[in-house]
PDB file of all heavy atoms in Angstrom:
ATOM      1  N   ARG A 375      61.621  66.952 -16.767  1.00 97.00           N
ATOM      2  CA  ARG A 375      60.185  66.741 -17.019  1.00 97.00           C
ATOM      3  C   ARG A 375      59.304  67.748 -16.293  1.00 97.00           C
ATOM      4  O   ARG A 375      58.139  67.891 -16.624  1.00 97.00           O
ATOM      5  CB  ARG A 375      59.771  65.328 -16.599  1.00 97.00           C
ATOM      6  CG  ARG A 375      60.251  64.226 -17.517  1.00 97.00           C
ATOM      7  CD  ARG A 375      59.667  62.883 -17.115  1.00 97.00           C
ATOM      8  NE  ARG A 375      58.236  62.786 -17.306  1.00 97.00           N
ATOM      9  CZ  ARG A 375      57.475  61.847 -16.749  1.00 97.00           C
ATOM     10  NH1 ARG A 375      58.005  60.929 -15.962  1.00 97.00           N
ATOM     11  NH2 ARG A 375      56.174  61.829 -16.963  1.00 97.00           N
ATOM     12  N   LEU A 376      59.852  68.394 -15.250  1.00 97.00           N
ATOM     13  CA  LEU A 376      58.971  69.332 -14.527  1.00 97.00           C
ATOM     14  C   LEU A 376      59.341  70.795 -14.727  1.00 97.00           C
ATOM     15  O   LEU A 376      58.674  71.685 -14.213  1.00 97.00           O
ATOM     16  CB  LEU A 376      58.896  68.985 -13.028  1.00 97.00           C
ATOM     17  CG  LEU A 376      60.121  69.015 -12.125  1.00 97.00           C
ATOM     18  CD1 LEU A 376      60.686  70.387 -11.947  1.00 97.00           C
ATOM     19  CD2 LEU A 376      59.751  68.425 -10.775  1.00 97.00           C
ATOM     20  N   LEU A 377      60.392  71.061 -15.493  1.00 97.00           N
ATOM     21  CA  LEU A 377      60.881  72.442 -15.559  1.00 97.00           C
ATOM     22  C   LEU A 377      60.130  73.341 -16.543  1.00 97.00           C
ATOM     23  O   LEU A 377      60.273  74.555 -16.494  1.00 97.00           O
ATOM     24  CB  LEU A 377      62.376  72.458 -15.891  1.00 97.00           C
ATOM     25  CG  LEU A 377      63.296  72.085 -14.723  1.00 97.00           C
ATOM     26  CD1 LEU A 377      64.752  72.143 -15.160  1.00 97.00           C
ATOM     27  CD2 LEU A 377      63.053  72.973 -13.505  1.00 97.00           C
ATOM     28  N   ASP A 378      59.330  72.727 -17.415  1.00 95.00           N
ATOM     29  CA  ASP A 378      58.599  73.522 -18.395  1.00 95.00           C
ATOM     30  C   ASP A 378      57.768  74.611 -17.718  1.00 95.00           C
ATOM     31  O   ASP A 378      56.926  74.319 -16.874  1.00 95.00           O
ATOM     32  CB  ASP A 378      57.637  72.593 -19.166  1.00 95.00           C
ATOM     33  CG  ASP A 378      57.838  72.747 -20.646  1.00 95.00           C
ATOM     34  OD1 ASP A 378      58.875  73.312 -21.029  1.00 95.00           O
ATOM     35  OD2 ASP A 378      56.959  72.308 -21.408  1.00 95.00           O
ATOM     36  N   GLY A 379      58.014  75.856 -18.062  1.00 95.00           N
ATOM     37  CA  GLY A 379      57.208  76.947 -17.508  1.00 95.00           C
ATOM     38  C   GLY A 379      57.614  77.381 -16.112  1.00 95.00           C
ATOM     39  O   GLY A 379      57.000  78.267 -15.529  1.00 95.00           O
ATOM     40  N   VAL A 380      58.647  76.743 -15.547  1.00 97.00           N
ATOM     41  CA  VAL A 380      59.095  77.120 -14.197  1.00 97.00           C
ATOM     42  C   VAL A 380      60.092  78.280 -14.302  1.00 97.00           C
ATOM     43  O   VAL A 380      60.987  78.258 -15.156  1.00 97.00           O
ATOM     44  CB  VAL A 380      59.780  75.911 -13.506  1.00 97.00           C
ATOM     45  CG1 VAL A 380      60.513  76.331 -12.231  1.00 97.00           C
ATOM     46  CG2 VAL A 380      58.753  74.835 -13.198  1.00 97.00           C
ATOM     47  N   ASP A 381      59.933  79.272 -13.440  1.00 98.00           N
ATOM     48  CA  ASP A 381      60.902  80.374 -13.388  1.00 98.00           C
ATOM     49  C   ASP A 381      62.110  79.894 -12.591  1.00 98.00           C
ATOM     50  O   ASP A 381      62.124  79.934 -11.361  1.00 98.00           O
ATOM     51  CB  ASP A 381      60.255  81.597 -12.716  1.00 98.00           C
ATOM     52  CG  ASP A 381      61.223  82.773 -12.636  1.00 98.00           C
ATOM     53  OD1 ASP A 381      62.381  82.631 -13.098  1.00 98.00           O
ATOM     54  OD2 ASP A 381      60.824  83.822 -12.099  1.00 98.00           O
ATOM     55  N   THR A 382      63.116  79.411 -13.311  1.00 98.00           N
ATOM     56  CA  THR A 382      64.249  78.776 -12.618  1.00 98.00           C
ATOM     57  C   THR A 382      65.092  79.794 -11.852  1.00 98.00           C
ATOM     58  O   THR A 382      65.869  79.410 -10.985  1.00 98.00           O
ATOM     59  CB  THR A 382      65.140  77.998 -13.620  1.00 98.00           C
ATOM     60  OG1 THR A 382      65.576  78.900 -14.634  1.00 98.00           O
ATOM     61  CG2 THR A 382      64.395  76.839 -14.237  1.00 98.00           C
ATOM     62  N   ARG A 383      64.913  81.085 -12.135  1.00 98.00           N
ATOM     63  CA  ARG A 383      65.690  82.083 -11.379  1.00 98.00           C
ATOM     64  C   ARG A 383      65.260  82.127  -9.917  1.00 98.00           C
ATOM     65  O   ARG A 383      65.978  82.607  -9.062  1.00 98.00           O
ATOM     66  CB  ARG A 383      65.514  83.480 -11.996  1.00 98.00           C
ATOM     67  CG  ARG A 383      66.197  83.631 -13.348  1.00 98.00           C
ATOM     68  CD  ARG A 383      65.712  84.870 -14.037  1.00 98.00           C
ATOM     69  NE  ARG A 383      64.246  84.881 -14.104  1.00 98.00           N
ATOM     70  CZ  ARG A 383      63.529  85.817 -14.679  1.00 98.00           C
ATOM     71  NH1 ARG A 383      64.101  86.847 -15.230  1.00 98.00           N
ATOM     72  NH2 ARG A 383      62.199  85.753 -14.716  1.00 98.00           N
ATOM     73  N   ARG A 384      64.064  81.622  -9.639  1.00 98.00           N
ATOM     74  CA  ARG A 384      63.576  81.635  -8.246  1.00 98.00           C
ATOM     75  C   ARG A 384      64.136  80.464  -7.428  1.00 98.00           C
ATOM     76  O   ARG A 384      64.004  80.440  -6.207  1.00 98.00           O
ATOM     77  CB  ARG A 384      62.050  81.588  -8.217  1.00 98.00           C
ATOM     78  CG  ARG A 384      61.411  82.922  -8.586  1.00 98.00           C
ATOM     79  CD  ARG A 384      59.893  82.821  -8.520  1.00 98.00           C
ATOM     80  NE  ARG A 384      59.419  82.488  -7.184  1.00 98.00           N
ATOM     81  CZ  ARG A 384      58.277  81.829  -6.925  1.00 98.00           C
ATOM     82  NH1 ARG A 384      57.516  81.425  -7.901  1.00 98.00           N
ATOM     83  NH2 ARG A 384      57.910  81.581  -5.683  1.00 98.00           N
ATOM     84  N   ILE A 385      64.717  79.475  -8.099  1.00 98.00           N
ATOM     85  CA  ILE A 385      65.233  78.310  -7.351  1.00 98.00           C
ATOM     86  C   ILE A 385      66.462  78.754  -6.551  1.00 98.00           C
ATOM     87  O   ILE A 385      67.483  79.131  -7.119  1.00 98.00           O
ATOM     88  CB  ILE A 385      65.610  77.150  -8.301  1.00 98.00           C
ATOM     89  CG1 ILE A 385      64.385  76.695  -9.106  1.00 98.00           C
ATOM     90  CG2 ILE A 385      66.191  75.984  -7.509  1.00 98.00           C
ATOM     91  CD1 ILE A 385      64.678  75.636 -10.167  1.00 98.00           C
ATOM     92  N   GLY A 386      66.330  78.720  -5.225  1.00 98.00           N
ATOM     93  CA  GLY A 386      67.439  79.169  -4.374  1.00 98.00           C
ATOM     94  C   GLY A 386      68.164  78.023  -3.708  1.00 98.00           C
ATOM     95  O   GLY A 386      69.185  78.226  -3.035  1.00 98.00           O
ATOM     96  N   LEU A 387      67.630  76.813  -3.884  1.00 98.00           N
ATOM     97  CA  LEU A 387      68.232  75.646  -3.231  1.00 98.00           C
ATOM     98  C   LEU A 387      68.028  74.433  -4.127  1.00 98.00           C
ATOM     99  O   LEU A 387      66.901  74.171  -4.573  1.00 98.00           O
ATOM    100  CB  LEU A 387      67.546  75.417  -1.872  1.00 98.00           C
ATOM    101  CG  LEU A 387      67.970  74.191  -1.051  1.00 98.00           C
ATOM    102  CD1 LEU A 387      69.442  74.306  -0.634  1.00 98.00           C
ATOM    103  CD2 LEU A 387      67.087  74.044   0.184  1.00 98.00           C
ATOM    104  N   LEU A 388      69.116  73.741  -4.406  1.00 99.00           N
ATOM    105  CA  LEU A 388      69.040  72.500  -5.190  1.00 99.00           C
ATOM    106  C   LEU A 388      69.670  71.396  -4.346  1.00 99.00           C
ATOM    107  O   LEU A 388      70.853  71.463  -3.997  1.00 99.00           O
ATOM    108  CB  LEU A 388      69.796  72.669  -6.514  1.00 99.00           C
ATOM    109  CG  LEU A 388      70.028  71.410  -7.351  1.00 99.00           C
ATOM    110  CD1 LEU A 388      68.727  70.693  -7.676  1.00 99.00           C
ATOM    111  CD2 LEU A 388      70.755  71.759  -8.644  1.00 99.00           C
ATOM    112  N   ILE A 389      68.866  70.408  -4.025  1.00 99.00           N
ATOM    113  CA  ILE A 389      69.362  69.309  -3.181  1.00 99.00           C
ATOM    114  C   ILE A 389      69.286  68.009  -3.970  1.00 99.00           C
ATOM    115  O   ILE A 389      68.229  67.665  -4.503  1.00 99.00           O
ATOM    116  CB  ILE A 389      68.510  69.157  -1.901  1.00 99.00           C
ATOM    117  CG1 ILE A 389      68.622  70.404  -1.024  1.00 99.00           C
ATOM    118  CG2 ILE A 389      68.937  67.923  -1.122  1.00 99.00           C
ATOM    119  CD1 ILE A 389      67.778  70.350   0.254  1.00 99.00           C
ATOM    120  N   MET A 390      70.403  67.304  -4.021  1.00 98.00           N
ATOM    121  CA  MET A 390      70.406  65.939  -4.553  1.00 98.00           C
ATOM    122  C   MET A 390      70.492  65.010  -3.357  1.00 98.00           C
ATOM    123  O   MET A 390      71.433  65.103  -2.558  1.00 98.00           O
ATOM    124  CB  MET A 390      71.648  65.705  -5.421  1.00 98.00           C
ATOM    125  CG  MET A 390      71.496  66.083  -6.860  1.00 98.00           C
ATOM    126  SD  MET A 390      70.441  64.962  -7.819  1.00 98.00           S
ATOM    127  CE  MET A 390      71.546  63.605  -8.145  1.00 98.00           C
ATOM    128  N   ALA A 391      69.528  64.135  -3.237  1.00 99.00           N
ATOM    129  CA  ALA A 391      69.555  63.119  -2.183  1.00 99.00           C
ATOM    130  C   ALA A 391      69.920  61.802  -2.842  1.00 99.00           C
ATOM    131  O   ALA A 391      69.274  61.400  -3.811  1.00 99.00           O
ATOM    132  CB  ALA A 391      68.190  63.019  -1.531  1.00 99.00           C
ATOM    133  N   THR A 392      70.955  61.161  -2.348  1.00 98.00           N
ATOM    134  CA  THR A 392      71.380  59.909  -2.970  1.00 98.00           C
ATOM    135  C   THR A 392      72.253  59.099  -2.039  1.00 98.00           C
ATOM    136  O   THR A 392      72.902  59.644  -1.151  1.00 98.00           O
ATOM    137  CB  THR A 392      72.155  60.193  -4.286  1.00 98.00           C
ATOM    138  OG1 THR A 392      72.399  58.954  -4.962  1.00 98.00           O
ATOM    139  CG2 THR A 392      73.475  60.904  -4.033  1.00 98.00           C
ATOM    140  N   GLU A 393      72.237  57.779  -2.245  1.00 98.00           N
ATOM    141  CA  GLU A 393      73.219  56.924  -1.580  1.00 98.00           C
ATOM    142  C   GLU A 393      74.039  56.191  -2.642  1.00 98.00           C
ATOM    143  O   GLU A 393      74.645  55.165  -2.377  1.00 98.00           O
ATOM    144  CB  GLU A 393      72.558  55.961  -0.593  1.00 98.00           C
ATOM    145  CG  GLU A 393      71.422  55.136  -1.161  1.00 98.00           C
ATOM    146  CD  GLU A 393      70.739  54.277  -0.109  1.00 98.00           C
ATOM    147  OE1 GLU A 393      71.432  53.466   0.511  1.00 98.00           O
ATOM    148  OE2 GLU A 393      69.521  54.419   0.076  1.00 98.00           O
ATOM    149  N   SER A 394      74.015  56.745  -3.864  1.00 98.00           N
ATOM    150  CA  SER A 394      74.811  56.198  -4.968  1.00 98.00           C
ATOM    151  C   SER A 394      75.735  57.299  -5.483  1.00 98.00           C
ATOM    152  O   SER A 394      75.875  57.495  -6.697  1.00 98.00           O
ATOM    153  CB  SER A 394      73.900  55.724  -6.108  1.00 98.00           C
ATOM    154  OG  SER A 394      72.742  55.098  -5.627  1.00 98.00           O
ATOM    155  N   GLY A 395      76.328  58.034  -4.549  1.00 97.00           N
ATOM    156  CA  GLY A 395      77.143  59.200  -4.896  1.00 97.00           C
ATOM    157  C   GLY A 395      78.259  58.870  -5.882  1.00 97.00           C
ATOM    158  O   GLY A 395      78.784  57.759  -5.891  1.00 97.00           O
ATOM    159  N   ILE A 396      78.623  59.850  -6.698  1.00 98.00           N
ATOM    160  CA  ILE A 396      79.652  59.627  -7.720  1.00 98.00           C
ATOM    161  C   ILE A 396      80.975  60.268  -7.324  1.00 98.00           C
ATOM    162  O   ILE A 396      81.972  60.130  -8.020  1.00 98.00           O
ATOM    163  CB  ILE A 396      79.201  60.185  -9.086  1.00 98.00           C
ATOM    164  CG1 ILE A 396      78.872  61.682  -8.953  1.00 98.00           C
ATOM    165  CG2 ILE A 396      78.029  59.402  -9.630  1.00 98.00           C
ATOM    166  CD1 ILE A 396      78.855  62.397 -10.276  1.00 98.00           C
ATOM    167  N   ASP A 397      80.984  60.997  -6.231  1.00 97.00           N
ATOM    168  CA  ASP A 397      82.203  61.701  -5.832  1.00 97.00           C
ATOM    169  C   ASP A 397      82.186  61.890  -4.315  1.00 97.00           C
ATOM    170  O   ASP A 397      81.137  62.148  -3.730  1.00 97.00           O
ATOM    171  CB  ASP A 397      82.259  63.074  -6.519  1.00 97.00           C
ATOM    172  CG  ASP A 397      83.637  63.705  -6.446  1.00 97.00           C
ATOM    173  OD1 ASP A 397      84.010  64.188  -5.358  1.00 97.00           O
ATOM    174  OD2 ASP A 397      84.338  63.710  -7.476  1.00 97.00           O
TER     175      ASP A 397
END
Side-chain angles (χ1 to χ4, degrees):
R375 287 186 67 196
L376 62 66
L377 284 180
D378 233 16
V380 168
D381 180 0
T382 57
R383 290 166 307 182
R384 285 181 61 208
I385 300 175
L387 177 64
L388 170 56
I389 296 179
M390 272 288 281
T392 188
E393 52 184 302
S394 321
I396 57 162
D397 195 285

